[in-house]
Amino acid sequence: MKILHIETSSRNCSVAISDGADLLCLCEEVSENYKQSESLHTYVEWALEGANLTLKDMDAISLGKGPGSYTGLRIGASSAKGFCYGLHIPLIAVNSLLTMIEPFLDGEYDLVIPMVDARRMEVYCAVYNGKTGELIKDTEAKVLDEHSFQEYADQKILFVGDGAKKSKEILQLPKAEFNDTVFPSAKYLIRHSVAKYNAKDFEDVAYFDPFYLKDFQGVKKIKSED
């Protein structure tokens, strides 16, 4: 099956095309300015061109559903749902944190903990078995302090994601390593999306919402007294 994969939950705007488990093309860029609104559809066009395919060739759309940037998730979900409506194909949604652990599984770590920066001392995170990828602790919004993750202090842990940088300054875990260069990527949606496609585990396009995890908190403007 041919699937278009979209991941916009972080500063990495990422699009991939796959045929079964094979990656055909990947277009992505990490930007400090969250360029999803201006780049996403261009990357879709480039990925399709690189794979020598068209949207009409797609059998499904796969989306990194979050958690992450509220605006990025909204843009990605709107585009994915629009493609599904127009092409009459199913929508597959995968937790974006899963795409961050894929490169590190079955290695030297007992646990892999993906972390997405959620501002101040808060992160979106989950705990996974570093060998099998099995979920150990569900996705949550967690405020970090020196006591965080102490229940895993005797295990070798890899923290990955842009939330790992601030966690390194706080956590008291002598066996832990930190990699803050990892972002959710569409290429790591493939394995999970193929499994969901084969199981017919699809989303209801009409009612699907991204996994925001928290309500949107905008900046309140102070009303001028003039």
Side-chain angles (χ1 to χ4, degrees):
M1 80 289 297
K2 296 178 178 63
I3 302 177
L4 167 65
H5 307 268
I6 296 172
E7 174 54 71
T8 59
S9 67
S10 72
R11 288 184 283 136
N12 186 28
C13 182
S14 182
V15 176
I17 306 290
S18 68
D19 187 356
D22 297 326
L23 173 65
L24 301 182
C25 192
L26 173 69
C27 293
E28 62 182 2
E29 180 185 12
V30 176
S31 170
E32 294 293 332
N33 299 320
Y34 289 88
K35 297 174 62 176
Q36 291 92 335
S37 61
E38 60 188 81
S39 300
L40 178 57
H41 286 276
T42 299
Y43 289 0
V44 170
E45 292 177 9
W46 287 352
L48 289 168
E49 182 179 346
N52 197 27
L53 295 169
T54 70
L55 279 172
K56 292 182 179 180
D57 295 315
M58 297 299 105
D59 297 301
I61 304 297
S62 165
L63 176 69
K65 68 178 181 179
S69 160
Y70 184 94
T71 301
L73 289 171
R74 183 166 50 81
I75 291 168
S78 297
S79 296
K81 292 171 72 170
F83 289 142
C84 290
Y85 274 124
L87 298 167
H88 305 290
I89 56 178
L91 173 65
I92 299 167
V94 177
N95 190 311
S96 295
L97 297 183
L98 277 172
T99 75
M100 300 169 67
I101 71 170
E102 283 286 298
F104 308 102
L105 295 179
D106 199 23
E108 59 182 302
Y109 302 103
D110 299 312
L111 302 173
V112 180
I113 301 179
M115 284 185 164
V116 174
D117 191 349
R119 298 183 181 180
R120 296 186 178 88
M121 295 317 301
E122 192 170 27
V123 295
Y124 302 131
C125 63
V127 180
Y128 294 91
N129 184 298
K131 308 298 182 183
T132 66
E134 178 186 359
L135 180 64
I136 294 175
K137 191 170 184 180
D138 284 336
T139 303
E140 63 176 330
K142 186 177 185 69
V143 177
L144 298 174
D145 60 35
E146 64 272 18
H147 304 296
S148 299
F149 304 106
Q150 281 299 313
E151 65 268 35
Y152 309 120
D154 61 338
Q155 301 188 62
K156 189 167 185 180
I157 307 171
L158 176 65
F159 291 93
V160 298
D162 60 0
K165 183 175 182 179
K166 62 186 178 186
S167 69
K168 184 178 181 179
E169 301 169 356
I170 299 172
L171 301 182
Q172 305 297 315
L173 299 167
K175 293 185 178 181
E177 295 181 17
F178 301 84
N179 184 338
D180 62 1
T181 65
V182 177
F183 295 91
S185 175
K187 65 182 175 182
Y188 294 121
L189 290 171
I190 294 174
R191 181 170 69 89
H192 304 286
S193 298
V194 168
K196 286 198 167 195
Y197 185 93
N198 288 332
K200 298 189 183 322
D201 184 3
F202 304 136
E203 303 295 326
D204 186 324
V205 177
Y207 296 101
F208 173 79
D209 281 319
F211 185 27
Y212 292 121
L213 196 56
K214 293 198 309 178
D215 292 334
F216 176 69
Q217 296 178 346
V219 176
K220 182 182 289 187
K221 292 184 177 180
I222 298 176
K223 188 176 181 180
S224 173
E225 295 182 359
D226 294 341

